[in-house]
C-alpha cells in the first residue's frame, strides 16, 4: 500500500506511533510536536528542546534556483523556527549531509558559509556533523535548545476563546515556489520568502509570554490550525477575509490559476508563527508594536474546525502541505 | 574540485570546521568526535551526549539484501554504538526518514518494527520523527544519551603506554558486504556481522571504568587508531599478527583476492569497540571475562603511527573506511 492510500504523512505518523516506544517520564512533548521537550533531572527552570528537519534536493530546494549559501541559511532558519515556536532559544546544531560523489567542494563550502551565517545570527554553535555519499543532496539537521519552563508554548496549550494570530503574511513562500516551478518571473517579496526566509525568533521573547499555544507555519495555516485543535482538543474558526495577503500574492494567484486565500491556507514554509492568545493579553501584544493579524479563534471541540468564507458560508477547514501530495512538487 | 581531490571526507571536515562556529563553553567535545559531549549547567554529575548518523540506501544497505526490520535494527545499533563508545547510555531517538513517493507502507512499518525492537533492547524512547519524500531511502537518526562525568571516554584521553584493545573480531562486516556485492554465498558469521550487527553496550559499564580513550570501529581499525592518536597527540604501534580474525575471514579473503589482515585493518562497521587502557588495569579486564584482544599500544607522538607487519617490518598505519573512496561501494 502507498502512503497516499492510507491518507498521507500524518496518517502514517499516527500508524507508526503505535509501533514504537514513545512514553518517557521526562518527555513533556514528543511525537506530535515538531520539537521534543525534555524535562531535566537537575534543572527545574529549563527544558531541553530537540528538533530535527531534513531538506531534500529537488523537493525542498533546487541547486539551480538557490545558491548553496541560501540553502544553508534556509536549512538553519527552518530548524531555529521549530525551536522558536516552543518559546525557546537554540544552542547546538548537528549536520548530517548526504552528497553525490562528484559534488564540488566549493558547493559544500558555500553551504557551510550559509549555515555559519545563520548560526551566528542566533548564537548557535555546530556540535558535530557527518558527510555521506548518496544520489542527491540531503541536508539533515538536528538542533538543540532550551526553553524556560514558564515560557513553553505547546500545540496542546490552546484554550477555547483564545484568538488565533499570525505574525505576518501567508502563502508567499509557496507562491514563490510555484512560480519558479512554472519558469515565470517571481516578484521580489515572494522570491525572498521562498529563497531566504527568516524565522521569527525576533518576536519570541514577547509572544511566548503572552501566547498559550504556538506553532510555526511550515505546513500551511489550515494544517497548523488543525494541529493545534487536535492537540488542544478544541474547535476553531478561521475567517477567510482576515487572512493577511501580500499584494504580490494576488498577481501570482492569477498566473497560477489559484485563489490567493487558497494559497495562504495551504502554502507552507513561510516560517511565520501561529499562536493562540487569550483576549486579555491582546492589549499588551498591540502595544508591543509587533506585526500581527488575528485570523480566527479557538472554540469548543464540538464546534469543529471551520473556515468562514467571505460569503459567510462555513466549511470544514481542510488541507495543508503534505510531503506526499502533488502540491509539494 | 571533488572531495577525493582534497583528500577525502576527513580533509573536507577539517576544511569545513574552519568555516563554522564550533566553540562553546559547554561543549566538552564536538567536531572530531562522533558524539558531542555537553556540560549541563545544573548537573555536574552527568554530561549530555548527542550523536547523529545517516544510512543511505545502496551505500549502507540494500533493500534486496536486508529486511526492513534488519535495516531498522542496524540503524539504531550504529547510533547506540556511538553513545556506548563514550561510556554513556542512550535515552531518546529522533528519526528523519526520506522515502520515495511509491514506497510501500508495509516496508516503513517493518523498518519501524526493527527500530522499535532495538530501542527496547537499550530502553531508548522515540522522541520524534519526520518523513519526507526523496529519490531513495535515507534513514537519519539523532540519539541523545547521558554519561557520568567520571565514566567519559574520549578519543583524546589516550596516553603513551596504554595498550590498544579491541572487543571482538575485525573485518567480518566488511567481508560480508564485499561478498554480497560479488553475489557469492556468504558464510553465516560474516553475514550476521553485516546484516544484524550488535553494538557492544554490554561491556561499556565495565570497560568505561578501566579505559582511557574509546571509539567504536565504524571506519576500520587503522582509521580509528589514527583518530585516537591525532586527538590524544600520541603515536601508536599495531601488530599485524595480533589482529583477531574470525576463521570465516580467511576463505572470504581468498575469494575477494585480499589479505584477511588488510580487511581487518580497513573494513568498517563491525560495531566493536577499540579502547586504550593502562597496563595496571589489564588484570581487572582479564578477570572480567570480557572478550578482548590486545592489538598494539600507544607510544610517544614522535614514534608515529605504525603497523608492525608479520615479517617485523614497520610501515605507517594507513587506510580506513572513507565514504568517498571506491571501497564503500
Amino acid at each position: 500500500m502507498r502512503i497516499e492510500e492510507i491518507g498521507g504523512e500524518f496518517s502514517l505518523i499516527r500508524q507508526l506511533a503505535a509501533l514504537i516506544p514513545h512514553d518517557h517520564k521526562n518527555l513533556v512533548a514528543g511525537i506530535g510536536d515538531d520539537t521534543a521537550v525534555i524535562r531535566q533531572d537537575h534543572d527545574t527552570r529549563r527544558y531541553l528542546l530537540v528538533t530535527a528537519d531534513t531538506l531534500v534536493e529537488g523537493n525542498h530546494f533546487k541547486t539551480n534556483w538557490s545558491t548553496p549559501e541560501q540553502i544553508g541559511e534556509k536549512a538553519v532558519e527552518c530548524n531555529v523556527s521549530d525551536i522558536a515556536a516552543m518559546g525557546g532559544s537554540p544552542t547546538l546544531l548537528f549536520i548530517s549531509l548526504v552528497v553525490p560523489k562528484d559534488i564540488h567542494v566549493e558547493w559544500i563550502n558555500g553551504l557551510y558559509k550559509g549555515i555559519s551565517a545563520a548560526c551566528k545570527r542566533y548564537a548557535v554553535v555546530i556540535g558535530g556533523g557527518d558527510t555521506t555519499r548518496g544520489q542527491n543532496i540531503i541536508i539533515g539537521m538536528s538542533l538543540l535548545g532550551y526553553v524556560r519552563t514558564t515560557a513553553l508554548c505547546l500545540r496542546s496549550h490552546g484554550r477555547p476563546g483564545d484568538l488565533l494570530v499570525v505574525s505576518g503574511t501567508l502563502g508567499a513562500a509557496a507562491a514563490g515556489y510555484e512560480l519558479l516551478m512554472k519558469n515565470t518571473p517571481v516578484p521580489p517579496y515572494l522570491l525572498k520568502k521562498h529563497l531566504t526566509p527568516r524565522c521569527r525568533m525576533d518576536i519570541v521573547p514577547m509572544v511566548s509570554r503572552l501566547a498559550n499555544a504556538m506553532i510555526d507555519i511550515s505546513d500551511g495555516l489550515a494544517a497548523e490550525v488543525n494541529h493545534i485543535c487536535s492537540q488542544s482538543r478544541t474547535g476553531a474558526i478561521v475567517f477567510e477575509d482576515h487572512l493577511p495577503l501580500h499584494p504580490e500574492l494576488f498577481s501570482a494567484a492569477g498566473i497560477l490559476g489559484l485563489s490567493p486565500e487558497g494559497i495562504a491556507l495551504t502554502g507552507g514554509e513561510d516560517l511565520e508563527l501561529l499562536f493562540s492568545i487569550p483576549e486579555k493579553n491582546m492589549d499588551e501584544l498591540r502595544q508591543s508594536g509587533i506585526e500581527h493579524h488575528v485570523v480566527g479563534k479557538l472554540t469548543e471541540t464540538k464546534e469543529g474546525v471551520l473556515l468562514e468564507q467571505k460569503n459567510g458560508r462555513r466549511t470544514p477547514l481542510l488541507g495543508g502541505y503534505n510531503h506526499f501530495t502533488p502540491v509539494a512538487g
Side-chain angles (χ1 to χ4, degrees), chain A:
Chain A
M1 210 177 283
R2 302 198 314 169
I3 294 171
E4 281 175 24
E5 295 173 61
I6 62 162
E9 186 194 358
F10 299 123
S11 307
L12 176 67
I13 291 173
R14 273 192 300 275
Q15 194 175 98
L16 296 175
L19 288 177
I20 53 177
H22 59 271
D23 278 329
H24 189 278
K25 69 177 170 53
N26 284 347
L27 206 52
V28 179
I31 291 169
D33 274 276
D34 274 345
T35 301
V37 182
I38 302 157
R39 193 176 287 114
Q40 302 187 99
D41 285 341
H42 296 269
D43 190 349
T44 53
R45 295 176 314 118
R46 300 192 309 171
Y47 294 129
L48 176 64
L49 302 174
V50 184
T51 187
D53 247 326
T54 306
L55 298 184
V56 179
E57 179 185 4
N59 190 347
H60 298 94
F61 63 88
K62 296 195 197 296
T63 52
N64 54 340
W65 290 355
S66 304
T67 66
E69 287 81 359
Q70 288 174 334
I71 295 167
E73 285 205 49
K74 181 170 174 175
V76 174
E77 291 286 344
C78 289
N79 277 279
V80 174
S81 183
D82 284 330
I83 297 284
M86 293 290 173
S89 310
T91 55
L92 281 171
L93 179 69
F94 299 83
I95 304 162
S96 297
L97 189 61
V98 177
V99 290
K101 187 175 153 65
D102 57 358
I103 196 168
H104 286 199
V105 171
E106 291 75 12
W107 193 94
I108 302 181
N109 282 341
L111 181 80
Y112 267 77
K113 273 184 203 152
I115 290 173
S116 180
C119 282
K120 284 174 184 160
R121 202 174 294 142
Y122 303 109
V124 167
V125 167
I126 315 281
D130 77 321
T131 304
T132 317
R133 195 207 301 179
Q135 282 177 34
N136 53 351
I137 306 170
I138 315 256
I139 305 165
M141 291 189 170
S142 306
L143 182 61
L144 302 194
Y146 289 95
V147 59
R148 283 181 301 109
T149 52
T150 53
L152 178 67
C153 295
L154 291 183
R155 296 176 181 194
S156 60
H157 283 179
R159 298 290 167 261
D162 283 359
L163 296 177
L164 285 170
V165 178
V166 296
S167 58
T169 61
L170 299 173
Y177 173 86
E178 296 294 341
L179 290 175
L180 281 170
M181 285 289 286
K182 276 194 178 300
N183 274 317
T184 304
V186 186
Y189 180 76
L190 304 187
L191 191 67
K192 188 180 122 200
K193 285 295 274 188
H194 175 64
L195 294 183
T196 57
R198 287 275 191 281
C199 76
R200 299 309 307 273
M201 187 56 87
D202 57 317
I203 64 171
V204 164
M206 169 63 77
V207 171
S208 66
R209 219 166 42 74
L210 304 176
N212 282 335
M214 186 148 65
I215 195 166
D216 74 322
I217 305 175
S218 51
D219 293 331
L221 181 71
E224 308 301 358
V225 170
N226 275 290
H227 288 323
I228 287 181
C229 290
S230 76
Q231 302 264 324
S232 297
R233 294 161 193 267
T234 65
I237 182 147
V238 169
F239 302 101
E240 194 177 19
D241 64 358
H242 288 196
L243 298 174
L245 309 175
H246 191 275
E248 290 178 4
L249 193 64
F250 291 85
S251 57
I255 293 164
L256 295 168
L258 300 167
S259 77
E261 291 81 8
I263 301 176
L265 284 168
T266 59
E269 304 224 320
D270 276 307
L271 298 193
E272 296 291 349
L273 293 169
L274 164 70
F275 48 96
S276 88
I277 174 169
E279 287 240 33
K280 69 177 170 54
N281 290 349
M282 283 301 293
D283 271 351
E284 200 172 338
L285 182 63
R286 281 185 211 104
Q287 284 155 18
S288 72
I290 289 172
E291 179 186 352
H292 65 279
H293 309 272
V294 177
V295 296
K297 81 196 289 186
L298 295 183
T299 57
E300 299 292 340
T301 323
K302 64 175 191 296
E303 312 273 343
V305 183
L306 301 174
L307 176 70
E308 185 173 299
Q309 296 173 340
K310 287 181 189 169
N311 59 17
R313 262 192 64 207
R314 293 186 171 194
T315 57
L317 180 68
L318 301 172
Y321 185 92
N322 185 319
H323 297 285
F324 290 92
T325 61
V327 172

